[in-house]
Amino acid sequence: MGKRFPTVAAHQRVTIDDVARRAGVSTATVSKYLANRDYYIAEGTRRRIREAITELDYLPNAAARALAKQRSQMIGVVVPSIVNPYYPEVIAGIEDVTEAAGYTLSLATTNDSPERESAVLASMRQQRVAGMVLGRAPRDEDLARIAGTGIDTVLVSRESVGTDIDRVQVDSVAGATMATQHLIEHGHRRIAHIGGPQDAYSFKQRAQAYRDTCTRAGLDYIDLEVHNRYPTMADGADACRRLLEKHSPTAVFVANDLMAMGVLDHCNRNGIRVPDDLAVVGFDNVWVAGLPNVELTTIDASARLIGQTAATILLRRFEANDSEAPDATGATSTVIPPRLVTRRTCGCD
Amino acid sequence: MGKRFPTVAAHQRVTIDDVARRAGVSTATVSKYLANRDYYIAEGTRRRIREAITELDYLPNAAARALAKQRSQMIGVVVPSIVNPYYPEVIAGIEDVTEAAGYTLSLATTNDSPERESAVLASMRQQRVAGMVLGRAPRDEDLARIAGTGIDTVLVSRESVGTDIDRVQVDSVAGATMATQHLIEHGHRRIAHIGGPQDAYSFKQRAQAYRDTCTRAGLDYIDLEVHNRYPTMADGADACRRLLEKHSPTAVFVANDLMAMGVLDHCNRNGIRVPDDLAVVGFDNVWVAGLPNVELTTIDASARLIGQTAATILLRRFEANDSEAPDATGATSTVIPPRLVTRRTCGCD
DNA sequence: CTGAAAGCGCTTACAG
DNA sequence: CTGAAAGCGCTTACAG
């Protein structure tokens, strides 16, 4: 029989019972007060509870609440990396909207390891997060598990395809078209493309839009693919070298900023002047692209806006769940319009 | 009387009872199995439980466990910003060690707003996080509240001082000394310093170490202070302008990389050649400092290592709490040795 | 407008 | 080696 040891950290650990006792009401009433929905509570009662709470410095226990309500106030955020400058912006965007709504962020990083990803998703399930935003499309197996739990999820992955999950992404086709078109307008006729791994859908879209735009303009296209799933500066530099060995483009559209910066680096080291010898346009507009000595012309993928949008969609799902309405709105796909940011490397400025 | 509505998301929501039933044992036994400490459980029982868990795809409910154990498996991480390249590295470091230990990260950003900070700390208390690492020293009021809860906390703030909390920081004195000394060794005699807000302890230390080093070398010192709490590139550029209006240093040691990059920018725009006209050394070694066109010489503040160390300290505290030992080890202060990273802007290379 | 009581899904001393 | 039962701190239909 559980003789209860005095709570180890007896410190102040004040509970709803303490508040109720002090205010001279039942815990049920305090709970209702806390829920602050449209419960009717006498003004006097309300005041006494309010006072008791302040006097005791009471903060409800989130775990107890989560257990009772069968749902936590956490939103899981799973990204491949947090050091990559793209994701912190997405996360900031998520926080912009979830904070106000009273949600908390549970963050996990996968380093793009499948095992780690499964583990992380399991952890999110254990935590019974209210929703998740994933920076990478989960594998079918994990996807099924998630679906089974009914945890609302939105993908901000740049590589997601036909999964039945809400998704928000930048419009890669529009962005790549703008980038290519801009180079054409600068007068270039030999425009190359350094693409990301083509099994990632958005990279594929970017490459295709590049080709289509060239074709429409009556230009040949020269494209190259980098296979690293998360292409880095080194990949970009290397691709640039390969490209220039065989071809002599006057401009290149690079599928992401990190690679584009690698291209700049390669040019720098090899006496290739940018933009005079080679104009460069990237994709993403990570903040680093705007640095003084970088000044990369690029397509703004609105990472922060994507985060905000993802969070907004999640909150909307929550509401729909509550209202117990038909709710069967299928998975949505939101496309954020990109924006061309002209700087030094394309020849503007 | 609570006639229980069928759980809305009845999906699979499998509980420890389901596992116990399926394995033909009591929930207590399953719980012991889960705790996997040195409980004695018959091998057969152990196997049946293991099978039941797999078959049912059971994942314990973290909220229930947290409630029962009076402690969650979360570690709160509170940083001023997540877009600033310094903090993601710290966070990555924290995750490096907490992940393996089975802890989860609860992330919150304060934007350096005091109100937001109080709110965030309250949220951490509500969540009953097992521990916290704070990127900024809390105000006395909040500090007292935290102490009251007994939540283990470690500061990685660059501005912390005499609070009674575990702390890990880079050795600012050693770093600033190395930076200044290096410039002296390059033959400079007129070395300036652009400092951060001097009410932040580490910035003060850096300025003081700079002065001391100059003095020891028989040089005059010229220093300037930026007041913005989180000094940016713009602050650095502006400080550089002010500096050059009145003085003609041949080198400058800048108190953080962001400002140093602003200095580079200012020079760039005004035809001041780096390092020939002005040598520059920063502090932090955020990854951006290593970019091809930046190549800033700087002091590596080991952000990731700081994160790792902070997390390690936290875990050690947890152990001490469990062992119920004298435990009264006072607040520790860990100092990480810095490292000079020479690149282009100091004249090396 | 308010309260009694069951229930959320675990853990843990105790008693076998 | 195993289990019954109390307790963690909330919420919520129901009955007043």
Side-chain angles (χ1 to χ4, degrees):
Chain A
M1 194 220 33
K3 191 70 170 302
R4 223 48 198 164
F5 42 84
T7 17
V8 182
H11 292 291
Q12 40 188 96
R13 199 135 305 205
V14 4
T15 74
I16 200 174
D17 289 283
D18 301 317
V19 175
R21 208 171 306 123
R22 179 142 191 157
V25 298
S26 74
T27 65
T29 304
V30 177
S31 179
K32 276 163 198 153
Y33 170 88
L34 258 30
N36 81 323
R37 285 199 301 243
D38 47 1
Y39 285 117
Y40 290 91
I41 303 179
E43 197 38 64
T45 311
R46 202 175 274 281
R47 183 181 43 69
R48 295 209 314 285
I49 295 177
R50 195 185 313 120
E51 287 169 5
I53 288 176
T54 339
E55 285 160 13
L56 297 173
D57 191 22
Y58 168 69
L59 276 182
N61 181 322
R65 182 184 300 212
L67 181 57
K69 300 193 68 158
Q70 308 241 58
R71 120 199 279 292
S72 80
Q73 286 286 104
M74 290 185 269
I75 288 182
V77 176
V78 181
V79 293
S81 156
I82 194 189
V83 178
N84 180 323
Y86 179 83
Y87 293 106
E89 294 232 30
V90 173
I91 298 173
I94 296 172
E95 212 188 358
D96 285 341
V97 355
T98 52
E99 179 221 325
Y103 287 89
T104 261
L105 256 41
S106 175
L107 176 74
T109 275
T110 64
N111 293 317
D112 206 41
S113 138
E115 298 74 41
R116 175 103 181 91
E117 196 186 337
S118 293
V120 156
L121 291 175
S123 157
M124 294 295 166
R125 289 201 290 142
Q126 270 198 258
Q127 295 178 67
R128 305 296 192 265
V129 294
M132 296 195 285
V133 2
L134 306 183
R136 177 135 155 48
R139 292 178 298 173
D140 291 344
E141 185 190 332
D142 291 316
L143 198 59
R145 280 219 175 75
I146 295 170
T149 62
I151 298 177
D152 290 311
T153 302
V154 10
L155 246 46
V156 297
S157 160
R158 295 135 118 180
E159 56 201 352
S160 55
V161 244
T163 48
D164 187 34
I165 293 196
D166 285 328
R167 179 181 9 277
V168 17
Q169 275 166 303
V170 68
D171 187 336
S172 282
V173 172
T177 305
M178 287 165 82
T180 312
Q181 192 60 43
H182 185 67
L183 288 169
I184 292 173
E185 282 160 13
H186 265 291
H188 294 283
R189 309 294 295 165
R190 291 198 310 282
I191 304 173
H193 175 58
I194 295 177
Q198 298 293 297
D199 55 335
Y201 192 60
S202 60
F203 282 130
K204 189 169 187 172
Q205 286 184 311
R206 289 171 202 187
Q208 188 59 52
Y210 151 79
R211 284 187 225 108
D212 292 346
T213 309
C214 285
T215 304
R216 271 200 303 278
L219 307 180
D220 289 336
Y221 49 80
I222 319 162
D223 52 358
L224 222 64
E225 177 185 353
V226 160
H227 292 281
N228 189 353
R229 179 175 287 286
Y230 286 88
T232 63
M233 280 185 49
D235 294 319
D238 184 62
C240 185
R241 183 185 52 69
R242 283 189 287 146
L243 178 68
L244 298 180
E245 271 170 16
K246 302 197 186 166
H247 306 278
S248 48
T250 61
V252 57
F253 161 49
V254 190
N256 79 6
D257 283 354
L258 253 36
M259 283 196 290
M261 288 170 56
V263 168
L264 297 182
D265 186 30
H266 179 83
C267 291
N268 206 24
R269 294 185 195 284
N270 293 277
I272 300 165
R273 292 167 309 156
V274 172
D276 303 336
D277 299 336
L278 187 70
V280 179
V281 176
F283 201 115
D284 275 352
N285 198 24
V286 293
W287 69 273
V288 191
L291 287 179
N293 295 305
V294 178
E295 297 173 88
L296 177 68
T297 291
T298 188
I299 300 296
D300 189 342
S302 310
R304 188 152 190 154
L305 179 57
I306 284 184
Q308 292 170 336
T309 308
T312 306
I313 291 175
L314 224 37
L315 297 184
R316 205 131 57 200
R317 286 285 182 195
F318 296 166
E319 279 174 23
N321 296 346
D322 290 349
S323 69
E324 203 69 61
D327 122 284
T329 4
T332 65
S333 173
T334 308
V335 165
I336 304 282
R339 199 170 49 88
L340 176 69
V341 180
T342 59
R343 297 200 182 94
R344 178 183 59 89
T345 63
C346 65
C348 286
D349 263 35
Chain B
M1 197 219 32
K3 191 68 169 305
R4 226 44 198 166
F5 40 85
T7 17
V8 183
H11 293 290
Q12 42 189 93
R13 199 134 308 206
V14 4
T15 74
I16 200 174
D17 289 284
D18 301 316
V19 175
R21 207 172 307 123
R22 178 141 192 157
V25 299
S26 74
T27 64
T29 304
V30 176
S31 180
K32 277 162 199 154
Y33 171 88
L34 258 28
N36 78 322
R37 283 196 304 240
D38 47 1
Y39 284 118
Y40 291 92
I41 303 179
E43 196 39 62
T45 311
R46 203 175 272 282
R47 182 181 44 69
R48 295 209 315 286
I49 295 178
R50 194 186 314 120
E51 287 170 5
I53 288 177
T54 341
E55 283 162 13
L56 297 172
D57 191 22
Y58 169 69
L59 277 182
N61 181 321
R65 180 183 303 209
L67 180 57
K69 300 192 69 157
Q70 308 240 59
R71 121 202 277 294
S72 80
Q73 287 287 103
M74 289 185 271
I75 288 182
V77 176
V78 182
V79 292
S81 157
I82 193 190
V83 178
N84 180 323
Y86 179 83
Y87 294 105
E89 294 230 32
V90 174
I91 298 173
I94 296 172
E95 211 188 359
D96 285 341
V97 355
T98 53
E99 179 220 325
Y103 287 89
T104 260
L105 258 39
S106 176
L107 175 75
T109 276
T110 64
N111 293 317
D112 207 41
S113 139
E115 298 74 40
R116 175 104 182 90
E117 195 185 339
S118 293
V120 156
L121 291 175
S123 158
M124 293 297 167
R125 289 201 289 140
Q126 270 197 260
Q127 296 178 68
R128 305 294 192 267
V129 294
M132 296 195 286
V133 2
L134 306 183
R136 175 135 158 47
R139 294 176 298 173
D140 292 343
E141 186 189 332
D142 291 317
L143 199 59
R145 280 217 174 77
I146 294 170
T149 62
I151 297 177
D152 289 312
T153 302
V154 10
L155 245 45
V156 296
S157 161
R158 295 135 117 182
E159 55 201 353
S160 55
V161 245
T163 48
D164 185 36
I165 292 194
D166 285 328
R167 180 182 6 280
V168 17
Q169 275 166 303
V170 69
D171 187 338
S172 282
V173 172
T177 304
M178 288 165 84
T180 312
Q181 193 60 43
H182 185 68
L183 288 169
I184 292 173
E185 282 159 14
H186 265 291
H188 293 283
R189 309 295 297 167
R190 293 199 308 282
I191 303 173
H193 174 59
I194 295 178
Q198 298 292 299
D199 55 336
Y201 192 59
S202 60
F203 282 130
K204 190 169 187 169
Q205 285 184 311
R206 290 172 201 186
Q208 189 57 52
Y210 151 79
R211 283 187 225 107
D212 292 346
T213 308
C214 285
T215 303
R216 271 199 302 278
L219 307 180
D220 289 334
Y221 50 79
I222 320 162
D223 54 357
L224 221 65
E225 176 186 353
V226 160
H227 293 281
N228 190 351
R229 177 175 289 287
Y230 288 89
T232 63
M233 279 184 51
D235 295 319
D238 185 62
C240 184
R241 184 186 50 70
R242 283 189 287 147
L243 178 68
L244 298 181
E245 270 170 17
K246 302 196 183 163
H247 306 277
S248 47
T250 61
V252 56
F253 161 49
V254 191
N256 79 7
D257 284 353
L258 252 36
M259 283 197 290
M261 288 170 57
V263 168
L264 297 183
D265 186 30
H266 179 83
C267 291
N268 206 23
R269 293 183 195 286
N270 293 277
I272 300 164
R273 290 167 308 157
V274 173
D276 303 337
D277 299 337
L278 187 70
V280 180
V281 176
F283 201 115
D284 276 352
N285 197 23
V286 295
W287 69 273
V288 191
L291 286 179
N293 294 305
V294 178
E295 297 171 87
L296 177 68
T297 290
T298 188
I299 300 296
D300 189 344
S302 310
R304 189 154 189 151
L305 179 57
I306 285 185
Q308 292 169 337
T309 308
T312 306
I313 291 175
L314 223 38
L315 297 185
R316 206 132 55 201
R317 286 284 181 196
F318 296 167
E319 279 173 24
N321 295 345
D322 290 350
S323 70
E324 203 68 63
D327 122 284
T329 4
T332 66
S333 173
T334 307
V335 165
I336 304 283
R339 198 170 50 86
L340 175 70
V341 180
T342 58
R343 297 200 183 95
R344 179 184 58 90
T345 63
C346 64
C348 287
D349 264 35

